[in-house]
Amino acid sequence: MKALVIYCHPCAESFNAAIRDRVVRTLETAGHDVRLRDLYEEGFDPAMGAEERRRYHDEGDNVIPVESYVADIRWCEMLVFVYPTWWFGLPAMLKGWFDRVWVPHVTFGMPTEDQGMRPLMQHIRKIAVVTTCGASWVVSKWVGEPGRKTIMRGMRALCAPGCKTLYLAHYKMDTSTPESRSRYLNLVGRKLSCF
């Protein structure tokens, strides 16, 4: 499959970088055609400016500021997100990528009085999230995991019917050990290799 990896972490030495490397290597070993987008390294601007917002609903014009990123999501059949969960949600950089790249007329058809929103990303058949969370599993569930829901429910609704999902989180990252991190990397490799 054509797999697009969206990576979002500001620090090159982070454990998330090791996760990214394992994800890319696993996908390539499994025979997928992989594209990697490193939002921080590329200097992606997550802030939507006033003029961009004014053109957000204008088909064609809304793609211009983020054309190469839109080309990526039109190309891929699998999306894999690698990021840290901060304050139970997506990092601002990644949330901005969704705000600016998942535009109407590309990812969804605008609702009308007679018809609801129409999903337009039906070529995407798989979505995976590989993340780290400072909080425990229990606390994350208690808060409701808004970042997970944004991708696994909101974004998935725009993809192929029956789109497969995979969510892997290293909880209690703030008190992780070399052993827990190693186990997590091995889990990522096993799960993604047969996803």
Side-chain angles (χ1 to χ4, degrees), residues 2 12-13 56 59 65 78 82 87 97 113 169 185 195:
K2 294 181 278 190
E13 72 281 6
Y56 179 77
E59 187 170 1
M78 177 194 305
V82 180
W87 283 102
W97 181 83
E113 286 184 28
L185 287 175
F195 179 56

Side-chain angles (χ1 to χ4, degrees), residues 15 30 49 72 75 77 80 92 103 122-123 129 171 177:
F15 178 58
D72 285 339
W75 167 83
E77 298 163 304
V80 181
V103 294
Q122 297 196 344
H123 57 283
V129 168
Y171 295 100
T177 64

Side-chain angles (χ1 to χ4, degrees), residues 19-166:
I19 296 170
R20 174 204 60 212
D21 294 345
R22 178 64 61 96
V23 164
V24 169
R25 186 168 64 247
T26 300
L27 292 172
E28 288 176 344
T29 299
H32 299 295
D33 183 5
V34 180
R35 280 188 193 174
L36 171 65
R37 283 305 213 95
D38 183 334
L39 300 182
Y40 276 95
E41 186 175 289
E42 295 174 18
F44 180 79
D45 183 356
M48 183 185 295
E51 194 54 37
E52 186 177 354
R53 179 59 197 162
R54 288 183 185 107
R55 294 181 179 181
Y56 179 77
H57 294 97
D58 298 341
E59 187 170 1
D61 288 346
N62 60 359
V63 171
I64 294 168
V66 288
E67 199 162 9
S68 68
Y69 295 97
V70 169
D72 285 339
I73 62 172
R74 284 179 164 155
W75 167 83
C76 74
E77 298 163 304
M78 177 194 305
L79 268 166
V80 181
F81 296 95
V82 180
Y83 63 89
T85 295
W86 289 337
W87 283 102
F88 307 101
L90 306 172
M93 177 75 78
L94 184 54
K95 177 60 169 67
W97 181 83
F98 281 114
D99 291 344
R100 296 188 64 214
V101 176
W102 284 68
V103 294
H105 314 296
V106 171
T107 62
F108 63 94
M110 292 296 295
T112 65
E113 286 184 28
D114 303 326
Q115 185 178 30
M117 183 177 72
R118 296 171 319 283
L120 299 179
M121 300 303 284
Q122 297 196 344
H123 57 283
I124 297 176
R125 301 190 318 263
K126 294 182 180 182
I127 300 170
V129 168
V130 187
T131 188
T132 55
C133 303
S136 68
W137 181 88
V138 170
V139 171
S140 297
K141 293 297 181 187
W142 181 77
V143 170
E145 296 184 306
R148 178 180 185 163
K149 289 177 181 174
T150 296
I151 295 174
M152 295 298 176
R153 292 184 186 179
M155 197 186 83
R156 181 179 182 264
L158 304 179
C159 298
C163 178
K164 279 183 68 174
T165 61
L166 176 65

